[in-house]
Amino acid sequence: MVELKTDTSMDAMHEAGQVVGRALTAVEKAADVGVSLLELDEVARGVLREAGASSPFLGYRPTFATTPFPAVICASVNDAIVHGIPTGYRLRDGDLVSIDCGAQLGGWAGDSAISFTVGRPRPEDVRLIETAERALAAGTAAAVVGNRIGDIAHAIGTVCRAGGYGIMDDFGGHGIGRRMHEDPPVPNEGRPGRGLALRHGMVLAIEPMLIAGGTDAYHEAPDGWTLKTNDGSRAAHIEHTVAITDQGPRVLTAR
């Protein structure tokens, strides 16, 4: 069931979204050659703690997971697409890093992700990240009253495929509200004019995930969480929490 949020609820979600935005900004600023993923997780924990927010990631255990998630960020490096568990791995020059973070504040959730490079960037990584950002912008622009979920999916997929990138079949965005994952699912590829009609008060986490090699194939790492590209190519993940309003899309996690 899709819950329509009131304007007051969307304002409260904006507050949670701003905590997420501050956490991601702090993590990206702290990310440098030699810094460990565990240290980045601690940076995000500090931002959540200061805001009086909790993490919807920490201890999260969906049906596919064999163990609860042990951190407040997902830290996915190079060929890891999403759900990377922060470890003692220390960032190296040229790494491509995707950080996903959530916050629970006042009973409402926010969810967002960024991708960036550490040290000297590879031109192909810059292009990959820029395409992911354009895909998110296209999906957000399609998140208007009167459109359908398929219009968002089509907008994202069109940008990704035009860039020559792969798209994970079974993972995409989702509704969000009092819980981090709610209905409806938001695919990253689809047919325009299909799916649930968009209405004022719907709030969606829109999140393109791009595979540089151009194939859609991925696999689960032995940790039971991290999803990695089958061909070893790099990946990017960009996400915002977006409210659908009569005045147009409202990005609740804008930094």
Side-chain angles (χ1 to χ4, degrees), residues 15-24 26 41-58 71-73 100-105 110:
E15 294 301 313
Q18 293 308 290
V19 175
V20 177
R22 292 198 297 274
L24 289 173
D41 186 68
E42 189 54 44
V43 168
R45 287 175 189 254
V47 174
L48 295 181
R49 189 163 50 243
E50 183 178 348
S54 60
S55 170
F57 288 20
L58 185 62
V72 304
I73 62 170
D100 193 355
C101 184
Q104 197 89 25
L105 183 70

Side-chain angles (χ1 to χ4, degrees), residues 127-128 131 157-167 210-216:
R127 177 176 174 268
L128 175 66
T131 304
T158 297
V159 173
C160 295
R161 295 301 189 189
Y165 299 120
I167 301 170
L210 281 64
I211 298 174
T215 69
D216 299 346

Side-chain angles (χ1 to χ4, degrees), residues 3-7 9-14 109 111 139-145 152 174-176 198-206 240-254:
E3 177 192 4
L4 298 180
K5 281 71 177 178
T6 65
D7 291 348
S9 297
M10 287 188 281
D11 288 341
M13 291 190 69
H14 178 262
D111 190 9
T140 300
V144 296
V145 173
I152 298 175
H174 49 87
I176 182 171
L198 305 181
R199 298 170 58 188
H200 178 91
M202 291 175 64
V203 183
L204 307 174
I206 301 174
H240 270 312
T241 296
V242 180
I244 296 164
T245 78
D246 290 329
Q247 293 74 42
R250 181 184 179 189
V251 180
L252 303 181
T253 47

Side-chain angles (χ1 to χ4, degrees), residues 94-108:
D95 277 346
L96 193 165
V97 183
S98 296
I99 302 292
D100 193 355
C101 184
Q104 197 89 25
L105 183 70
W108 297 98

Side-chain angles (χ1 to χ4, degrees), residues 72-124:
V72 304
I73 62 170
C74 296
S76 306
V77 180
N78 297 332
D79 64 337
I81 310 166
V82 289
H83 302 166
I85 295 176
T87 65
Y89 174 84
R90 295 193 176 276
L91 295 172
R92 301 172 183 172
D93 186 47
D95 277 346
L96 193 165
V97 183
S98 296
I99 302 292
D100 193 355
C101 184
Q104 197 89 25
L105 183 70
W108 297 98
D111 190 9
S112 185
I114 55 174
S115 289
F116 55 86
T117 57
V118 175
R120 292 167 294 183
R122 300 182 181 186
E124 58 268 32

